[in-house]
Amino acid sequence: GNRMKTIGVEARAYHNNIGTFYDRVNTHTNMGYTFQAIDFGLDMEPGNPTSDLEMMEKTVDEYLEQEPFHAYYMTYSGHADYSFTDNDMSAQNQELVADMEGSEELLAYYACQLELEKAVEYLLERLEEAGVADHTVVVLTGDHAPYGLPEEDYETLAGDAVEEPFWQYRNSFICWTGGLEEPIVVDDYCCTQDILPTLLNLFGFSYDSRLLTGRDVLAECTHAALLKDGSFLTDRMIYDAASGQITWQGEEDEDYAQELIQ
């Protein structure tokens, strides 16, 4: 947000939960955003959870005609608990998952995620209608696993990934623009810290890389997914900080391992 403001772009941020949760009224403002949330300028009623689609519908017009623009959305519809009786978004979309297989918790999880699907669909349609989709970038990623599900449901969602160490942390970083002729798939490991330097480079910002913990996902370097306990994954090895165990994904190289661990 602050970097966008240096080039004259107003940075807006929206969250469809109460603004004081995790003190976001202050954290987002400090990051340079004009921030709106429930009870903090966003015209929505509290819910458990609330609609990402409604948030989009009530905010897109605030910036869509102001090129260039920057908007940060912290979505909420897909949050736990996952049930058709206690989750407003699951109940709202229950009919859409009626023909799917799985436990009630898993179907309720699918149902409330569909509200984000609707929100993203709405956003892309509005970008297309405004004629700016081909030069707008949309970044999408999750901030944690869907806690609150039974273990067997996690395994259903993860599929073959359950055979990998730390599979429960596996996620995706999606960076989309309507002007991209062919999709670019990057299989290198990365983590949330890498998103900021990647976007700064893509948008041509200069910055001191020593002040950021992440690395550009597209850069020619060793890429790692870092976990909060000090464990990490690279294309050559997986290190479990709790046990000190190294799982090699190729030829063993102790010098390489010790350099990364230290």
Side-chain angles (χ1 to χ4, degrees):
N2 284 318
R3 294 309 302 270
M4 285 295 180
K5 289 170 68 175
T6 66
I7 60 171
V9 177
E10 182 178 9
R12 296 177 176 270
Y14 305 97
H15 182 36
N16 48 334
N17 194 5
I18 58 173
T20 52
F21 195 78
Y22 286 143
D23 200 26
R24 290 186 174 118
V25 293
N26 288 316
T27 58
H28 281 66
T29 301
N30 288 339
M31 288 189 290
Y33 290 101
T34 300
F35 179 61
Q36 293 182 40
I38 295 176
D39 76 5
F40 200 72
L42 181 61
D43 182 22
M44 290 181 63
E45 294 296 322
N48 184 39
T50 55
S51 169
D52 295 337
L53 175 60
E54 182 184 358
M55 174 173 60
M56 289 285 185
E57 291 173 336
K58 291 189 172 181
T59 58
V60 167
D61 287 319
E62 294 183 0
Y63 58 81
L64 191 58
E65 304 298 329
Q66 302 176 14
E67 288 194 83
F69 55 79
H70 172 48
Y72 179 124
Y73 284 98
M74 180 169 288
T75 61
Y76 183 40
S77 292
H79 213 282
D81 292 329
Y82 301 117
S83 77
F84 293 115
T85 55
D86 299 324
N87 186 304
D88 295 340
M89 294 300 102
S90 296
Q92 179 170 293
N93 294 316
Q94 184 172 3
E95 290 187 3
L96 298 177
V97 300
D99 295 332
M100 299 181 68
E101 296 182 358
S103 68
E104 180 174 336
E105 292 95 336
L106 184 59
L107 295 184
Y109 168 80
Y110 288 142
C112 65
Q113 304 310 316
L114 286 175
E115 197 68 14
L116 174 60
E117 178 84 6
K118 295 177 183 178
V120 175
E121 180 181 15
Y122 173 80
L123 174 62
L124 297 184
E125 287 176 350
R126 293 297 308 276
L127 292 173
E128 291 283 357
E129 291 170 1
V132 299
D134 63 344
H135 55 275
T136 299
V137 175
V138 177
V139 173
L140 180 66
T141 194
D143 62 349
H144 58 71
Y147 48 74
L149 288 173
E151 189 67 24
E152 57 269 23
D153 287 341
Y154 288 127
E155 296 178 2
T156 299
L157 289 170
D160 293 341
V162 297
E163 300 174 5
E164 305 171 3
F166 304 115
W167 61 269
Q168 64 270 39
Y169 297 105
R170 185 172 177 175
N171 203 341
S172 296
F173 161 35
I174 299 171
C175 186
W176 175 93
T177 178
L180 190 65
E181 294 182 359
E182 295 290 339
I184 299 171
V185 179
V186 178
D187 291 325
D188 291 340
Y189 286 104
C190 66
C191 53
T192 50
Q193 293 98 313
D194 298 322
I195 295 177
L196 179 57
T198 302
L199 295 179
L200 289 174
N201 279 344
L202 284 174
F203 281 97
F205 285 104
S206 60
Y207 64 96
D208 188 340
S209 61
R210 296 171 300 178
L211 302 180
L212 298 179
T213 58
R215 291 179 171 179
D216 183 348
V217 175
L218 303 175
E220 294 285 344
C221 62
T222 297
H223 293 283
L226 307 176
L227 305 182
K228 65 180 181 180
D229 69 346
S231 301
F232 62 84
L233 304 86
T234 75
D235 61 347
R236 295 178 61 185
M237 63 173 283
I238 298 173
Y239 174 65
D240 186 334
S243 65
Q245 180 178 354
I246 297 174
T247 302
W248 291 99
Q249 306 204 85
E251 185 178 349
E252 294 187 18
D253 186 338
E254 286 300 326
D255 292 338
Y256 171 85
Q258 292 308 312
E259 180 180 356
L260 292 180
I261 293 171
Q262 292 172 3

